[in-house]
Amino acid sequence: MKLDGNARKIIFEDAHTHSHWLEEKVDDAVLREAFDLAKIGPTSANCSPMRITFVKSPEAKEKLKQCLQEGNIEKTMKAPATAIIAMDMEFYEKLPKLFPQADARSWFAGNQKSIEETAFRNSSLQGAYFIVAARAMGLDCGPMSGFDRNKCDELFFKGTPVKSNFLCNLGHGDKSKLYPRNPRLAFDEACKVL
């Protein structure tokens, strides 16, 4: 079934990356619903390595501030919520539950290269699903990678197998401060049909 034009406009055509935010809180129930939509998206062997820490409180925001590059501080501090999209480097321990039709855990245990590639690729995919899901829930998003991952991991994930991937500010964006959409590549510039 094809989405109607309005749904496509909300999720893709009218959606922009936001840097300026209205003073409207983001309800935890909306974050939960966005995650519940995003988790349905496919990952290899249903490995589902994405973990999200939602930073909302002033104390957590101050902690995150220490990790941000200068150009990302103001927009992140003013965002009602920031999702630390992270990856569980021991995702394979959950594969007996998530992929019971095969011994998928054995494909990864002890294979660090495969663990790292799979965790990064699939948490990135899931992070993109989360952005689409958040937009479907009426939120605006400001994904970014301008932060110190090592410091973020130390402050938020110390003593765990979780590592940060990217950040995504969430809230209701100030549309009056958007820049015009930057150009995108045309189909023939980016794609081939063989």
Side-chain angles (χ1 to χ4, degrees):
M1 173 174 37
K2 186 175 181 179
L3 288 177
D4 68 26
N6 189 51
R8 291 197 308 270
K9 284 173 75 63
I10 290 168
I11 295 172
F12 293 105
E13 295 167 11
D14 288 346
H16 287 257
T17 295
H18 281 265
S19 296
H20 303 278
W21 304 96
L22 302 176
E23 291 186 19
E24 292 181 34
K25 292 184 178 181
V26 173
D27 193 285
D28 291 356
V30 174
L31 299 176
R32 181 179 294 274
E33 201 167 345
F35 172 78
D36 284 340
L37 284 173
K39 73 181 182 184
I40 298 168
T43 56
S44 57
N46 198 34
C47 64
S48 306
M50 179 180 71
R51 305 292 180 264
I52 305 177
T53 296
F54 293 105
V55 178
K56 291 177 66 176
S57 72
E59 299 79 19
K61 285 276 192 174
E62 282 303 313
K63 192 157 70 164
L64 183 59
K65 184 178 181 179
Q66 300 172 54
C67 310
L68 299 170
Q69 290 179 358
E70 184 66 33
N72 289 332
I73 292 175
E74 183 177 358
K75 62 186 172 184
T76 303
M77 293 293 94
K78 290 187 176 179
T82 301
I84 304 174
I85 307 292
M87 51 194 157
D88 184 351
M89 303 309 286
E90 292 180 1
F91 66 86
Y92 53 90
E93 297 294 355
K94 297 196 182 300
L95 286 175
K97 171 185 175 179
L98 297 174
F99 199 74
Q101 57 267 51
D103 180 17
R105 183 190 179 280
S106 67
W107 304 343
F108 298 99
N111 186 341
Q112 194 60 32
K113 183 173 187 279
S114 185
I115 290 168
E116 290 173 3
E117 287 180 356
T118 302
F120 181 70
R121 179 182 306 111
N122 287 278
S123 68
S124 298
L125 274 174
Q126 289 188 287
Y129 301 148
F130 179 77
I131 291 168
V132 171
R135 288 174 171 178
M137 293 302 304
L139 294 176
D140 293 308
C141 301
M144 60 187 167
S145 57
F147 71 109
D148 184 331
R149 287 182 57 207
N150 291 330
K151 184 171 254 184
C152 184
D153 294 349
E154 176 73 18
L155 291 174
F156 288 92
F157 306 121
K158 186 175 183 177
T160 77
V162 176
K163 294 186 177 187
S164 54
N165 185 336
F166 68 95
L167 305 178
C168 186
N169 289 327
L170 301 162
H172 300 281
D174 184 345
K175 293 178 181 16
S176 72
K177 295 185 178 177
L178 283 174
Y179 295 106
R181 188 184 304 282
N182 286 327
R184 301 298 198 266
L185 296 176
F187 182 91
D188 291 336
E189 294 177 281
C191 306
K192 290 181 183 178
V193 178
L194 302 177

